[in-house]
Amino acid sequence: MYEVGFLVCIAIGILYIVLMPIIGFFVACCRCCGNCGGKMYQKQTSSIHCIRRTLYFSVFAITIIIFAGNICMFRSNQALKVSVNQSPLELSNAIDDMHTFLKAVPQQVENVVNESYRIVQEVTRNLNDIGRQLGMKVQQRFRGTVDPALQLVRCLHQESLNTSDRLDKLNFSLVQLQSSIDRIQANITAVRDQINQTLSEPGCTGCQNLTKDVQKLTVETTISFPSLHDFQSALDEVIKADLQSKISEVEEFFRTIPQRVTNETNDLVQNSIKQLNGIKAQISQVSNELHLSALNDVSKNLDQVQSDINKYLPEVESAEHFRWRVGMALCFVVLLVVVCNILGLVLGPLGLSPKEDPTRRSCTSDCGGIFLMMGAGFSFLFSWLFMIVVLLLFLLGGNMYTLICRPWNNGLLLQFLDTPGLLPQLELGPALGLKTNINISDIYRDCEKNQPLWTTLHLHELVDLGDILNVSKYTARIREEFEKTNVTLSSVNLLSPEIKNQLVNVSAKATNFNSTAVIQQMNAMSSINLNTTADKIEILSQQQPTAIKAELQNEALKLRQIQADIEVTVFPQVKNLNSSIKSLQSTTEKINGTVGEVLSKVAAAQDFLNTNTTQIVKTESRRFLDCQVDYFTAYADWATIMVTQQVGRCKPVARAVDSVEVVLCVNMVESLNAFWFSLGWCLMFFIPSIIFSIKLAKYYRRMKYSDCFDNHIVMNHIPRAQIKIT
């Protein structure tokens, strides 16, 4: 229905263009003939001042309205100039944004593909390092059971060495004590023989009573410790077995597991790497399937548009400069009418004396009237010409706003472009090889929401992304290779049966270790006291002759010396020997418990190795493989999200389209429409301005003929009313 409004406006404009010069011509002729206010005579009436003021304020109000429209003309004309001058830069920025977007899309796809290369490299690196990674996992599984057993064997070995050292010290103490006892026994025997000889002399009185005590002068000469020898023999056998070497052998077995895994998986790694190369080649097809080369054609078209903008820019700038000058001329002509009216409104009242005869009005007042007539004359002279400009600009700007800008803003323009067959080159569905057609309006709406190209262009109809990223056939082949590869680890004996028997023997000897007899011997030795016998001999010597007395006292002294030697030499050795025996006894008890725990732990660990080695290797191999496959599973999920949700978010396309709309409609068309509307506004108010200015001018111009008006009124006396009160 907008055509009706346009036709009405066009009809009004044509009438204005046709009638305005005709009316102006007739008004001029009429005034030349002395009519239409052309006669320089003004009749004086009582309401003349009221009429003048009414006309004055009417012209003043209309002039203000015209001046407001004139200001809008200046501003819109300048705004249009700025818009046209800045539009190349804004369009260039929009094109640059599009270039950036078009370059970013292949780069984003390339980043997704390159990430697959990184994943392949990471998996390849892991496969080449399978010996260390898989071997360490197997080691960890073994060590959880084997390490405690080895630690016990290591402790047992150390305890065996410590016990051997204690046994050596104990043997040395026994030998030393036996030597001291033998020496003491020899001394006691010699003294005893001397005492017996003295007691047997004829002159010895009562000596037979001491014979029994003298015969008791003896020391246990042999220290017997039979279980010690058996225990030491068994312990020496264990030490000769060298438990540390067995520990080192087992540790060497664990240390070489990674290298064994590497050696036995060499073919597996090479075959798996071939499958990884297949994965890399398959994923690289994403770039080809998405037809990213079409973006290069779009970039070339944008380059051509940029080139055309730069080519025609000087001509556009020259034409715009000329248009701006014409617009300024129109603005100044309208401003001239406004200035004439303002001068008339200012000078007229300044020079006017209301009581003065019209034929004697001042030059200032007369000039004010002339300026008002000049404003009316300029209005008649230029208004119809300016209306032609308004009509042309109205047809241009109005149709652009109605047919382009408003439909563009509410989306109807894009829907119109979606009309089938209207613009075949915009039918993107067949051009991209899609099953469904894509509307320009749908693309714009998706880009406004910053949707990815996968959604916007319905690329799921063109590319089977799930099939490209489905690398299960390659991972399945790698799994087959892993299943066919048997990583065998030779078994290792933690302890041989011979060593186990030796440990059992040591445990048995430690259990049979009996130090009671030796301790009793030590206690008996500690109770030796030769001083008692020496005291008896001295008492007996007091009853004997001098010679026998001297001999007995000398022999008692020797016994006391031997007792002192025993206390100084033998007793400390006995005490030290007792301490060593007690320490050894606690050690044997500890060894006995350790051997039992060692045999139990070693048996459990050996059974674990014999039973679970193959299963552990297979389990850890599967875990290693699952870890590598998970890389590709995670990548496929990530790549799907990136391509379908992140790659090519087309908000820049919507911004570029919006930039063109802003440049064309918001800046240029709105400024153009504001200009013609402001000019038309002024022209419409020229009509009342002409009428009131011509009428008001007669109240300020100097008349040639005068007219007298008698304002004398006869006042009759009216008697005052009186009220009579009765």
Side-chain angles (χ1 to χ4, degrees), residues 475-702:
T475 56
R477 294 172 187 171
I478 296 176
R479 286 187 184 277
E480 291 177 4
E481 293 291 336
F482 266 84
E483 292 297 332
K484 290 189 298 183
T485 302
N486 291 322
V487 180
T488 57
L489 299 178
S490 59
S491 180
V492 60
N493 288 326
L494 300 180
L495 293 177
S496 64
E498 182 181 357
I499 294 177
K500 291 180 181 178
N501 292 332
Q502 291 172 352
L503 292 178
V504 171
N505 187 30
V506 166
S507 179
K509 297 302 181 184
T511 303
N512 296 330
F513 181 77
N514 186 5
S515 60
T516 304
V518 177
I519 292 175
Q520 289 177 354
Q521 290 178 353
M522 297 302 103
N523 293 334
M525 200 170 296
S526 299
S527 64
I528 295 176
N529 188 357
L530 300 179
N531 290 330
T532 303
T533 304
D535 292 339
K536 291 179 179 181
I537 293 173
E538 284 186 350
I539 294 172
L540 182 63
S541 67
Q542 299 298 327
Q543 303 172 5
Q544 304 302 325
T546 303
I548 296 174
K549 178 181 179 180
E551 290 179 4
L552 289 176
Q553 288 179 348
N554 183 40
E555 291 164 356
L557 177 62
K558 289 181 179 179
L559 286 177
R560 293 183 188 281
Q561 290 175 347
I562 293 173
Q563 180 64 37
D565 188 17
I566 291 174
E567 291 177 356
V568 172
T569 304
V570 175
F571 284 178
Q573 291 178 355
V574 169
K575 183 179 181 180
N576 185 33
L577 185 60
N578 278 331
S579 176
S580 298
I581 291 174
K582 290 180 180 178
S583 175
L584 181 62
Q585 192 170 9
S586 65
T587 302
T588 55
E589 292 175 358
K590 187 176 182 181
I591 286 180
N592 190 23
T594 303
V595 168
E597 189 176 1
V598 165
L599 293 176
S600 175
K601 291 286 186 181
V602 168
Q606 188 69 57
D607 183 65
F608 177 80
L609 290 176
N610 295 338
T611 306
N612 300 319
T613 298
T614 302
Q615 186 61 36
I616 287 175
V617 172
K618 286 186 174 296
T619 301
E620 293 301 329
S621 298
R622 292 192 186 99
R623 288 181 179 177
F624 176 81
L625 176 60
D626 292 339
C627 179
Q628 309 313 310
V629 173
D630 287 344
Y631 277 111
F632 293 102
T633 303
Y635 169 76
D637 296 338
W638 173 81
T640 301
I641 293 174
M642 289 297 296
V643 173
T644 59
Q645 299 182 18
Q646 299 296 330
V647 171
R649 288 186 173 271
C650 58
K651 186 69 173 181
V653 176
R655 282 202 300 264
V657 175
D658 293 340
S659 298
V660 175
E661 180 189 6
V662 169
V663 169
L664 180 63
C665 295
V666 176
N667 294 339
M668 298 178 65
V669 173
E670 288 188 3
S671 297
L672 178 64
N673 289 340
F675 181 79
W676 66 254
F677 181 81
S678 300
L679 180 57
W681 171 279
C682 295
L683 294 181
M684 288 313 222
F685 281 97
F686 273 2
I687 297 175
S689 176
I690 292 172
I691 296 172
F692 293 125
S693 295
I694 292 176
K695 287 184 173 294
L696 182 60
K698 198 165 187 178
Y699 289 87
Y700 295 130
R701 294 187 65 187
R702 185 183 295 122

Side-chain angles (χ1 to χ4, degrees), residues 74-259:
F74 277 104
R75 291 182 61 86
S76 59
N77 185 60
Q78 185 64 28
L80 182 58
K81 180 178 184 297
V82 172
S83 300
V84 173
N85 290 338
Q86 292 181 349
S87 59
L89 177 61
E90 295 179 359
L91 291 176
S92 297
N93 292 337
I95 292 174
D96 290 341
D97 290 343
M98 285 294 297
H99 274 301
T100 302
F101 170 74
L102 294 175
K103 291 179 181 178
V105 172
Q107 184 63 42
Q108 291 172 347
V109 175
E110 184 179 357
N111 290 339
V112 174
V113 176
N114 289 341
E115 184 65 18
S116 71
Y117 298 160
R118 192 189 68 79
I119 295 297
V120 170
Q121 291 174 357
E122 180 69 20
V123 174
T124 302
R125 188 160 49 248
N126 291 340
L127 287 173
N128 290 328
D129 195 30
I130 187 175
R132 185 183 66 84
Q133 296 189 21
L134 180 57
M136 289 181 64
K137 293 295 183 181
V138 174
Q139 284 178 336
Q140 291 175 1
R141 292 288 301 276
F142 284 162
R143 289 193 179 279
T145 302
V146 176
D147 278 357
L150 292 180
Q151 184 62 30
L152 286 174
V153 173
R154 190 177 288 107
C155 291
L156 178 60
H157 176 68
Q158 188 62 42
E159 289 177 5
S160 299
L161 295 177
N162 294 337
T163 304
S164 179
D165 290 340
R166 291 190 179 94
L167 285 173
D168 292 339
K169 292 179 181 179
L170 179 60
N171 286 327
F172 178 76
S173 298
L174 287 172
V175 171
Q176 189 178 23
L177 178 60
Q178 186 65 53
S179 175
S180 298
I181 290 174
D182 291 342
R183 179 175 55 81
I184 295 298
Q185 181 62 40
N187 292 335
I188 291 175
T189 301
V191 172
R192 185 184 62 191
D193 292 343
Q194 291 178 2
I195 293 173
N196 286 330
Q197 185 177 357
T198 301
L199 292 177
S200 64
E201 289 183 3
C204 185
T205 303
C207 295
Q208 289 79 11
N209 297 329
L210 196 61
T211 303
K212 293 181 179 180
D213 293 331
V214 172
Q215 295 303 323
K216 294 179 181 179
L217 293 175
T218 184
V219 192
E220 185 66 36
T221 57
T222 303
I223 301 176
S224 178
F225 206 162
S227 61
L228 179 64
H229 176 72
D230 296 338
F231 179 65
Q232 186 166 15
S233 299
L235 188 62
D236 290 341
E237 292 295 329
V238 172
I239 293 175
K240 288 180 183 179
D242 194 4
L243 294 179
Q244 184 61 43
S245 65
K246 292 301 297 180
I247 294 173
S248 300
E249 180 182 343
V250 175
E251 289 181 342
E252 179 64 18
F253 168 77
F254 286 125
R255 189 185 64 80
T256 57
I257 286 178
Q259 186 59 45

Side-chain angles (χ1 to χ4, degrees), residues 304-511:
Q304 183 62 40
V305 172
Q306 183 65 57
S307 177
D308 292 340
I309 291 175
N310 296 332
K311 177 181 179 181
Y312 295 108
L313 180 59
E315 298 178 7
V316 172
E317 290 178 347
S318 177
E320 169 56 23
H321 187 66
F322 176 76
R323 183 214 61 77
W324 178 77
R325 288 189 173 185
V326 172
M328 292 300 292
L330 297 177
C331 293
F332 280 113
V333 171
V334 175
L335 181 61
L336 178 61
V337 174
V338 173
V339 170
C340 289
N341 286 354
I342 292 175
L343 290 175
L345 294 173
V346 172
L347 296 177
L350 287 178
L352 179 66
S353 296
K355 296 181 179 181
E356 190 176 8
D357 187 75
T359 58
R360 296 178 181 178
R361 289 173 179 165
S362 65
C363 292
T364 303
S365 177
D366 187 54
C367 287
I370 292 173
F371 274 116
L372 290 173
M373 293 301 296
M374 287 175 60
F378 287 133
S379 298
F380 271 123
L381 183 62
F382 294 107
S383 60
W384 66 279
L385 296 174
F386 286 3
M387 184 55 73
I388 295 176
V389 176
V390 171
L391 185 60
L392 295 177
L393 295 181
F394 166 73
L395 291 175
L396 176 62
N399 282 286
M400 287 185 66
Y401 176 78
T402 305
L403 298 178
I404 298 177
C405 294
R406 187 167 62 187
W408 196 336
N409 183 264
N410 57 27
L412 294 178
L413 179 61
L414 297 179
Q415 294 180 8
F416 174 74
L417 295 177
D418 291 336
T419 303
L422 180 64
L423 294 173
Q425 61 271 25
L426 293 181
E427 296 180 0
L428 300 180
L432 295 175
L434 302 178
K435 298 178 182 178
T436 59
N437 192 21
I438 303 177
N439 296 327
I440 299 297
S441 57
D442 294 336
I443 293 177
Y444 177 76
R445 279 194 298 271
D446 288 342
C447 289
E448 270 192 323
K449 299 176 183 177
N450 201 23
Q451 294 292 330
L453 289 180
W454 182 267
T455 303
T456 303
L457 299 181
H458 299 181
L459 294 180
H460 59 275
E461 299 180 9
L462 186 64
V463 180
D464 189 354
L465 188 62
D467 182 64
I468 294 177
L469 297 178
N470 185 10
V471 295
S472 58
K473 60 182 179 182
Y474 297 101
T475 56
R477 294 172 187 171
I478 296 176
R479 286 187 184 277
E480 291 177 4
E481 293 291 336
F482 266 84
E483 292 297 332
K484 290 189 298 183
T485 302
N486 291 322
V487 180
T488 57
L489 299 178
S490 59
S491 180
V492 60
N493 288 326
L494 300 180
L495 293 177
S496 64
E498 182 181 357
I499 294 177
K500 291 180 181 178
N501 292 332
Q502 291 172 352
L503 292 178
V504 171
N505 187 30
V506 166
S507 179
K509 297 302 181 184
T511 303

